[in-house]
Amino acid sequence: MSTVSMDAYAPVDVAQLVARAGVAKGNMRLDKVFFSAFFAGCLLAFACGTLLITSTTASFQENAPGLIRMISSLVFPYGLSMIILTGADLCTGSFLYTTVAALQHQLPWYKMLLHWFVTFWGNLAGSLFMVAIIFGYGNVFAADPYKSEVIAFATKKQVTPDFHHIFLRGISCNWLVSLACFLAMQGRDLASKLVGIWFPIFGFVSLGFDHVVANMTFIPMGIWLGAPEITVGLYIWKGVIPTLLGNIVGGGLFAGTYYWYMYLLNGEGGTLAWMRESGMITPGQRIWRPWLLISRTD
């Protein structure tokens, strides 16, 4: 009888990988962090553009809005897939990685906050580059029905909901985005990583949650095309502040702190076999962790 096995890391080992990634990201040169974040903003903007194009179906918007949202949600995850698989830096992912590393005392808190700061501005720069240069001057959304859909989409995102609505949607959004990052690390092969990324991202988009970096494309694109009810001030007040705060809570508390508490607190997890396999211990090296001191030759 054949058996089915899962070629994936156990959750406790994934938590160690998340912490290790947070250490690496938090100690990266700041110029590299910025350009990595710029690149991530550009990649996510491509997916945002595809979502807007896919949503531009008037008959579906009127008669089956849930169906067209589901279809556009199925294509959007390619953005985060490209970001994770190329190692680019999204601030929302940093809220997970560096939080776990900081809670493990492997990364100073000031480096965590500095990484958040630099990735945020890098993501914004990359997103605005795409909005202005590629989508804007490229006239990608200049004509109807695409122009009307961008304006309608941005208006629904920015004008209709209240501040607290956006904040709560931001929590749920990055809870799922962080889960996608976690599952991407759990898979050992490319296909498993893609599947792990795809479904949580499909979930957050289909439910209409708010992602601060995605909003860096959606809302400025609406402003660029002349959305009558949206100003830069409104975007900062409702498109950046509540979404960013919600994403921090979702990624840092609901995901990062939870995984740390469940798998890493009090030295739980991090087996010798896994540490050897992952290369965390090199021959003859003794390393310090808060819960153990161990050698490769032990």
Side-chain angles (χ1 to χ4, degrees):
M1 175 181 286
S2 61
T3 60
V4 178
S5 63
M6 294 180 60
D7 187 15
Y9 291 111
V12 63
D13 292 339
V14 182
Q16 286 286 349
L17 282 170
V18 168
R20 189 182 182 193
V23 172
K25 289 177 181 293
N27 288 298
M28 190 187 302
R29 273 173 39 186
L30 293 183
D31 60 318
K32 289 193 173 186
V33 173
F34 180 82
F35 285 113
S36 177
F38 181 95
F39 189 69
C42 293
L43 293 181
L44 194 66
F46 282 119
C48 292
T50 301
L51 183 146
L52 291 168
I53 292 293
T54 307
S55 299
T56 307
T57 311
S59 59
F60 276 97
Q61 292 286 10
E62 294 176 3
N63 302 307
L67 178 60
I68 195 61
R69 180 186 281 189
M70 184 188 74
I71 294 172
S72 61
S73 301
L74 282 170
V75 300
F76 183 81
Y78 83 81
L80 188 65
S81 299
M82 295 190 297
I83 290 169
I84 290 178
L85 296 178
T86 59
D89 282 289
L90 206 61
C91 67
T92 48
S94 179
F95 301 154
L96 168 70
Y97 300 125
T98 58
T99 296
V100 176
L103 288 169
Q104 276 296 92
H105 305 292
Q106 296 175 356
L107 183 72
W109 289 100
Y110 80 90
K111 284 193 174 183
M112 178 194 80
L113 296 173
L114 183 60
H115 195 267
W116 292 6
F117 180 83
V118 176
T119 53
F120 173 84
W121 289 106
N123 292 159
L124 180 62
S127 301
L128 294 182
F129 169 80
M130 292 293 294
V131 168
I133 306 302
I134 305 301
F135 294 156
Y137 289 118
N139 283 343
V140 176
F141 300 102
D144 280 329
Y146 306 109
K147 178 179 179 179
S148 298
E149 173 58 27
V150 172
I151 293 174
F153 188 92
T155 301
K156 290 177 184 177
K157 276 278 185 187
Q158 201 71 115
V159 178
T160 305
D162 294 330
F163 187 99
H164 68 281
H165 296 148
I166 299 172
F167 170 73
L168 293 172
R169 294 175 189 178
I171 293 175
S172 303
C173 169
N174 210 33
W175 192 353
L176 288 170
V177 171
S178 296
L179 177 60
C181 295
F182 189 92
L183 295 178
M185 283 194 163
Q186 189 161 22
R188 294 174 184 262
D189 60 276
L190 183 64
S192 298
K193 291 178 181 294
L194 288 172
V195 171
I197 295 167
W198 217 269
F199 287 100
I201 303 305
F202 163 75
F204 108 67
V205 180
S206 65
L207 290 168
F209 295 150
D210 279 274
H211 188 272
V212 68
V213 184
N215 282 356
M216 291 174 183
T217 296
F218 292 137
I219 312 306
M221 196 70 244
I223 295 173
W224 181 278
L225 294 174
E229 299 180 75
I230 304 176
T231 63
V232 174
L234 180 66
Y235 164 58
I236 294 172
W237 175 241
K238 290 178 67 177
V240 175
I241 296 174
T243 313
L244 178 62
L245 293 175
N247 288 170
I248 289 173
V249 173
L253 180 62
F254 281 62
T257 302
Y258 168 79
Y259 295 133
W260 170 80
Y261 178 83
M262 291 298 297
Y263 303 123
L264 301 178
L265 181 63
N266 297 327
E268 298 166 8
T271 62
L272 175 60
W274 173 83
M275 295 176 80
R276 286 175 173 169
E277 179 184 352
S278 65
M280 288 185 70
I281 308 174
T282 57
Q285 178 188 14
R286 295 179 66 81
I287 61 171
W288 170 254
R289 292 293 180 268
W291 63 93
L292 70 129
L293 181 65
I294 198 166
S295 169
R296 174 77 179 214
T297 57
D298 287 348

